[in-house]
Amino acid sequence: MTALEQLIEALRRLPGVGQKSAQRMAYHLLQHDRPGADALAHALQQATHSVRHCERCYTFSESPLCPICQDSRRDARLLCVVETPADQAAMERTASYHGYYFVLQGRISPLDGVGTREIGVEPLLARAADGQVEEVILATSFTAEGEATAHVLAEALRVRGLRSTRLARGVPVGSELEYVDLGTIAHALVDRRAT
Amino acid sequence: MTALEQLIEALRRLPGVGQKSAQRMAYHLLQHDRPGADALAHALQQATHSVRHCERCYTFSESPLCPICQDSRRDARLLCVVETPADQAAMERTASYHGYYFVLQGRISPLDGVGTREIGVEPLLARAADGQVEEVILATSFTAEGEATAHVLAEALRVRGLRSTRLARGVPVGSELEYVDLGTIAHALVDRRAT
């Protein structure tokens, strides 16, 4: 394989990148943006070298404890469980949550051999039993696997006498009812709240 | 900026990659495919280091002359002009062309300050005047800029007494006439050929 072919191969490993895009990226970098290629190579090495997981919440962190876990002004009574660091970042961008986080290693997916051990349920249970946490907010995805994960976690927390809640399901903000899928409307009806 | 943010920034420079995709790629590499990140960093360095331009046709090459220019069994009477190494690769995949190539540095685009000098028209004219080339096939894109480039090249070649041709415009293979755009049908009608 030539260096160009190897580059295309390596780019194809990125999520959402097929043969055509990988080729376009490689040609672009070599023809028009060699400094960009150097910058990317450097950033990749830097990131794989220095980005580790927070010892407490398991999100990405360059220090043993991530900035959020280090922040003592957060509400220690709340612990929000998400599937990935990306989900945590989305929660943070809402600027409406001020507790701490626990980042799972994905979600339970029996078909892929991913169970409670793989996603880190034990560390979560230990973290939630620190005596300060009063409510565990389950913010896993609203997919079949995310729901199953939330269910398993809720059970495990209940057994240990810990209270858990789940993000509300409902009609997305800004949507016209006509275009919302029926399952979502049905859930929004069941979970309707007093005005 | 953290190492993670720097990685997202660097990924955003790839064509077709916005903030969201860059974030997804970075999270994926760090969470699920660190060997992939290392492989990509290595391939980028290898490629920027060893991939240069062929001295004769200006396509990507790891040797002074690319494999095609080194191949003496090719038809030296034909020279195909394309805009990019990617276009050349597409021509090669058709397996129906057996002459040599000349790869321009893009196409003329006055609005972006890209003129005949920038795309390398002089080296092309020198290459085409080697005494062996009998026909220069203009295979630039069938866009406004590609057509303009072909027009300029055809004129410059004509002045030097060199014959040039252009790829045929017409209905794409496999299309139903109903769904082909009108400009294409009009061109196919003008360029109709005897059966």
Side-chain angles (χ1 to χ4, degrees), chain B residues 102-110 112-125 145 148-157 160:
Chain B
F102 188 91
V103 180
L104 297 170
Q105 305 299 305
R107 51 196 159 191
I108 292 170
S109 173
D112 304 318
V114 179
T116 52
R117 182 193 303 268
E118 281 72 31
I119 66 169
V121 172
E122 278 307 322
L124 164 62
L125 295 174
E145 292 171 347
T149 305
H151 182 77
V152 168
L153 295 179
E155 278 303 311
L157 289 163
R160 281 157 187 79

Side-chain angles (χ1 to χ4, degrees), chain A residues 125-146:
Chain A
L125 295 174
R127 170 73 180 84
D130 71 346
Q132 290 194 282
V133 173
E134 293 175 9
E135 178 183 349
V136 178
I137 302 169
L138 301 172
T140 53
S141 303
F142 285 82
T143 58
E145 292 172 347

Side-chain angles (χ1 to χ4, degrees), chain B residues 73-155:
Chain B
R73 288 163 308 175
R74 292 249 167 182
D75 188 343
R77 292 168 301 178
L78 296 176
L79 186 68
C80 178
V81 180
V82 291
E83 291 173 10
T84 64
D87 291 345
Q88 183 203 20
M91 281 292 292
E92 276 298 286
R93 278 198 299 276
T94 69
S96 52
Y97 177 71
H98 305 289
Y100 291 99
Y101 290 93
F102 188 91
V103 180
L104 297 170
Q105 305 299 305
R107 51 196 159 191
I108 292 170
S109 173
L111 289 179
D112 304 318
V114 179
T116 52
R117 182 193 303 268
E118 281 72 31
I119 66 169
V121 172
E122 278 307 322
L124 164 62
L125 295 174
R127 170 74 180 83
D130 72 346
Q132 290 195 281
V133 173
E134 293 175 10
E135 178 183 348
V136 178
I137 301 169
L138 301 172
T140 53
S141 304
F142 284 83
T143 58
E145 292 171 347
E147 294 279 22
T149 305
H151 182 77
V152 168
L153 295 179
E155 278 303 311

Side-chain angles (χ1 to χ4, degrees), chain A residues 2-3 7 13 17 25 27-28 30-31 33-34 36-38 40 44-45 48 50-53 60 62 85-86, chain B residues 2-3 7 13 15 17 25 27 30-31 33-34 36-38 40 44-45 48 50-53 60 62 85-86:
Chain A
T2 67
L7 176 56
R13 287 175 74 157
V17 176
M25 288 172 175
Y27 285 136
H28 172 82
L30 290 173
Q31 190 85 302
D33 194 14
R34 285 185 182 234
D38 292 334
L40 181 53
L44 284 161
Q45 286 172 325
T48 53
S50 63
V51 177
R52 294 279 165 268
H53 291 278
F60 291 138
E62 291 181 53
Chain B
T2 66
L7 176 56
R13 287 175 75 156
V17 176
M25 288 171 175
Y27 285 136
L30 291 172
Q31 191 84 304
D33 193 13
R34 286 186 181 234
D38 291 335
L40 180 54
L44 284 161
Q45 285 173 325
T48 53
S50 64
V51 177
R52 294 279 165 267
H53 291 279
F60 292 138
E62 292 180 51

Side-chain angles (χ1 to χ4, degrees), chain B residues 8-36:
Chain B
I8 294 172
E9 271 306 293
L11 285 164
R12 279 194 60 178
R13 287 175 75 156
L14 293 170
V17 176
Q19 176 67 24
K20 280 243 167 182
S21 318
Q23 215 171 321
R24 196 158 62 97
M25 288 171 175
Y27 285 136
H28 172 82
L29 289 174
L30 291 172
Q31 191 84 304
H32 303 292
D33 193 13
R34 286 186 181 234

